[in-house]
Amino acid sequence: MDTAEILWEPGPAQREQSQMAHYLGWLAEAGYGEFADYHALHAWSISDLEAFWRSVWEFCGLEAATPPTAMLGRREMPGAEWLPGARLNVAANLLRHAWGERAEQEAVVAMAECRETRRVTFAELYEDVGAFEGVLREHGVQVGDRVAGLVANGYEALVAMLGAASLGAVWSSASPDFGVDATVDRFGQIEPTLLVAVNGYGYGGKTFPRVEQVSQLAEQLPSVRQVVVVDQLPGAGLPPGARFSAWDEALARHRGSAPSFTPLPADHPLYILYSSGTTGKPKCIVHGAGGILLNHAKELMLHGDLGPGDRLLYFTTCGWMMWNWQASGLLTGATLVTYDGSPGYPDMDLMWRTAAAERLTHFGTSARFLAECRKQQLTPGRDHDLDALRVIFSTGSPLLPEDYDWVYGDVSGDLLLGSIAGGTDICGCFVGSTPLLPVRRGEIQCRFLGVDAVAYSPDGEALDNARGELVCRQPLPSMPVSFWDDADGQRYHDAYFDSFPGIWAHGDFVRFTPEGGAVIYGRSDATLNPGGVRIGTAEIYRQVETVEAVADSLVVGRPIDGDVEVVLLVTLAPGQALDEALIKQLRQRIRQHASPRHVPAHIVAVPAVPYTRSGKKVELAVARMLQGDAKAENRSALSNPESLDAIREALDEAKLLPA
């Protein structure tokens, strides 16, 4: 394979002034060693995990009430023990700039379609976190209890998360465009004690009141003692009854309360995130406080080159792990600029206007967004002053080579385009960016420090410059501490360690290049990932298969322009036809009860859905068919292999198969 073209290289100033460069100099001064380049540094980082992660802890200035006795205790996977003996608090670390010289610096700039922009300093953020922790204590929330948020990407979500973390409660959030059923599928499993919910939101120039849905959600979550309602949609109000209270009034009762910053063991749960729910209800992925803190410090400060005075906007929702990731940016002393609404309203230029107006140094988005900007032939570099912008992050799906060209041609020829990839499972990245290496067309720059990632063949052999399964051979701090309600750890084991015992298998196809870069080809399983948001087929099945006209269904993802679109195959009940009325009914039901992201781009009628001999739907064979993968023809496990022939014919007629 040919070596990819270099589109950007760091200049002398960037090499010398980056956080990664400072880290290299510090390593030499601190006695850890001298490293000629990034590749030498990475080799050391995976050969001596203890020394490497200790250096990250020290360089990033992380704080613990009781320091750890080591960085890594037990090393086996699953079951690795990080920061044994430590007692720490994540909120204390993220709010460490609330006193001293940065106390009056902007910590958060919260922007939204339906609200006025709010600007808050680190000192003000500290005060609000203390007040919200007071609200939690008022309603009996204790260490280990769950606090759930059906929240918009704004200021209150950050305050609620930090207040929960300060007390030692466990934070879990979802986006308010999720339907009640999809939200209960998540929060119902973890039984939250308190719920924070918005009363509505704005998107694409429209407003969406959610008061009725919040009331329904509270009814279906009997564990919730109190719902604190954020006035995200002014004038929408809140549900009646003592169980509901307004955010501003609730916090006003506890003004003057300081965050407790309760010290907790490193493996104490900080976040609960959710799997896609492909085979049922989403799995509840529990992330530990110490591991998230340590890994995010490395990723944001060293790889992201984020530091004091920088300004980061990562376009995300609170149902995506990138929200948790960008929240850790507070640790660095940077300002978080949040946006809730459509990135394409009133036009696709909105985010670039925002980048110029807010003097963003770091802008994070999806590969899909960049592709759409290219298709619309936007020229942000010509139309706006983007001189402050140093880094663009892209994730969610592989970034097309053409989109690299567009960024360097029409945004700026002098910035780091950081395509990063990891997932909800680790709430972080395996591969991504570094300010020390060139950016090559269509390639992710590098394996992250401390990440022993390779491509495996089906036989478990490491592949050189060939496509294989993305695996990680040594533990990472932000690997989950557990799955919720998985006492013996079997579901956790089966999710990541079933294919290669003792080795994390992530579920992506990847090729590592001779230059150390990575090319990701998409999911190696049937998980849907449109626009970078993992969604589960089971959530769609739940809605579709309750429609009387549908006898059976299958949901798969179809690669398109560097993204994935949802394709729904339906087997119709006798006497039914897939007409426009039924298509509209299915789409409306999915939108209302799951989310807009679940709505299929294509709905195709097929005679039958393929099943294994043990009675399981076969999504992967059809997904591979849409990818043009020959493995789609492996039929030995199917009870009705002839169904694939009919599906191929239907997809071909719908012009959905690769040319």
Side-chain angles (χ1 to χ4, degrees), residues 115-411:
R115 293 179 72 179
E116 294 293 324
T117 296
R118 184 173 183 182
R119 299 177 183 274
V120 183
T121 66
F122 276 103
E124 292 167 334
L125 175 60
Y126 174 89
E127 292 175 2
D128 283 346
V129 170
F132 184 74
E133 184 178 346
V135 174
L136 296 177
R137 293 185 183 278
E138 173 190 351
H139 295 290
V141 177
Q142 300 180 14
V143 172
D145 285 350
R146 277 72 62 206
V147 176
L150 188 68
V151 282
N153 179 28
Y155 178 63
E156 290 87 356
L158 290 166
V159 171
M161 178 276 287
L162 289 165
S166 175
L167 185 153
V170 189
W171 173 256
S172 187
S173 59
S175 175
D177 61 351
F178 272 52
V180 173
D181 291 348
T183 308
V184 172
D185 280 351
R186 290 159 171 78
F187 295 163
Q189 296 185 69
I190 65 171
E191 299 180 304
T193 302
L194 185 138
L195 174 68
V196 180
V198 295
N199 63 353
Y201 63 95
Y203 192 90
K206 300 178 181 179
T207 57
F208 298 86
R210 302 294 282 172
V211 172
E212 182 179 346
Q213 287 84 352
V214 169
S215 180
Q216 293 173 3
L217 181 61
E219 289 179 6
Q220 296 187 47
L221 295 174
S223 63
V224 171
R225 298 173 185 167
Q226 188 73 10
V227 183
V228 183
V229 182
V230 176
D231 193 25
Q232 181 73 13
L233 186 59
L238 70 162
R243 201 178 176 198
F244 302 91
S245 56
W247 173 274
D248 289 342
E249 294 175 6
L251 266 65
R253 293 195 298 271
H254 297 279
R255 289 291 172 204
S257 298
S260 65
F261 297 147
T262 303
L264 299 158
D267 62 358
H268 181 79
L270 172 68
Y271 295 138
I272 296 176
L273 304 180
Y274 300 94
S275 73
S276 60
T278 298
T279 57
K281 289 184 178 181
K283 297 181 181 68
C284 305
I285 303 172
V286 183
H287 286 288
I292 288 289
L293 177 65
L294 183 59
N295 200 54
H296 283 187
K298 176 203 71 175
E299 293 191 358
L300 287 155
M301 294 178 70
L302 300 183
H303 288 278
D305 197 27
L306 192 67
D310 286 333
R311 299 173 71 82
L312 165 67
L313 187 158
Y314 210 111
F315 186 84
T316 181
T317 73
C318 296
W320 191 17
M321 52 78 48
M322 293 311 301
W323 181 86
N324 308 76
W325 190 85
Q326 57 92 34
S328 293
L330 293 167
L331 172 75
T332 72
T335 300
L336 300 186
V337 181
T338 65
Y339 187 80
D340 185 67
S342 169
Y345 178 82
D347 52 61
M348 290 296 293
D349 201 41
L350 170 68
M351 289 290 102
W352 304 110
R353 292 196 297 272
T354 302
E358 290 297 326
R359 305 295 294 165
L360 297 183
T361 57
H362 295 66
F363 170 50
T365 185
S366 66
R368 182 178 183 180
F369 174 84
L370 296 177
E372 187 60 31
C373 289
R374 169 178 55 82
K375 292 175 185 177
Q376 294 195 16
Q377 299 182 342
L378 299 189
T379 54
R382 184 193 68 188
D383 300 337
H384 307 291
D385 179 5
L386 300 177
D387 287 349
L389 192 61
R390 301 197 322 268
V391 179
I392 294 178
F393 296 117
S394 170
T395 193
S397 57
L399 188 63
L400 293 179
E402 293 81 1
D403 297 322
Y404 282 78
D405 298 338
W406 178 80
V407 168
Y408 283 111
D410 290 309
V411 180

Side-chain angles (χ1 to χ4, degrees), residues 591-636:
R591 180 183 297 274
Q592 179 181 355
H593 295 286
S595 87
R597 293 179 180 83
H598 292 69
V599 177
H602 306 278
I603 302 178
V604 179
V606 296
V609 167
Y611 281 88
T612 65
R613 299 185 188 280
S614 59
K616 295 181 180 179
K617 292 185 181 185
V618 180
E619 297 163 336
L620 190 54
V622 179
R624 286 174 170 166
M625 191 184 294
L626 289 166
Q627 296 167 7
D629 192 325
K631 290 183 179 179
E633 300 300 326
N634 183 3
R635 307 177 175 204
S636 59

Side-chain angles (χ1 to χ4, degrees), residues 602-607 625-626 645-657:
H602 306 278
I603 302 178
V604 179
V606 296
M625 191 184 294
L626 289 166
D645 296 323
I647 288 173
R648 180 179 293 277
E649 183 177 337
L651 293 174
D652 188 47
E653 183 176 344
K655 296 182 169 41
L656 297 180
L657 294 180

Side-chain angles (χ1 to χ4, degrees), residues 5-11 14-16 18 20-21 24 36-42 302-303 390 404 408 414-419 431-441 443-449 513-518:
E5 175 188 359
I6 292 176
L7 300 179
W8 174 86
E9 289 191 81
Q14 289 150 324
R15 290 181 183 275
E16 295 169 7
S18 69
M20 189 76 82
L24 276 173
D37 55 22
Y38 180 83
H39 301 300
L41 178 61
H42 180 268
L302 300 183
H303 288 278
R390 301 197 322 268
Y404 282 78
Y408 283 111
D414 190 25
L415 55 74
L416 171 57
L417 175 55
S419 179
V431 294
S433 60
T434 173
L436 298 185
L437 290 175
V439 174
R440 295 179 182 272
R441 185 175 187 264
E443 289 186 8
I444 297 172
Q445 285 178 289
C446 63
R447 299 169 174 87
F448 268 13
L449 296 177
T513 70
E515 295 77 29

Side-chain angles (χ1 to χ4, degrees), residues 463-505:
L463 301 172
D464 183 19
N465 199 24
R467 184 192 301 195
E469 183 81 23
L470 174 60
V471 304
C472 190
R473 299 182 293 190
Q474 297 190 72
L476 289 177
S478 62
M479 288 175 176
V481 295
S482 65
F483 283 176
W484 192 260
D485 196 22
D486 182 29
D488 62 1
Q490 189 62 48
R491 285 191 297 152
Y492 182 19
H493 175 276
D494 292 348
Y496 310 114
F497 302 99
D498 196 40
S499 299
F500 309 106
I503 303 292
W504 176 290

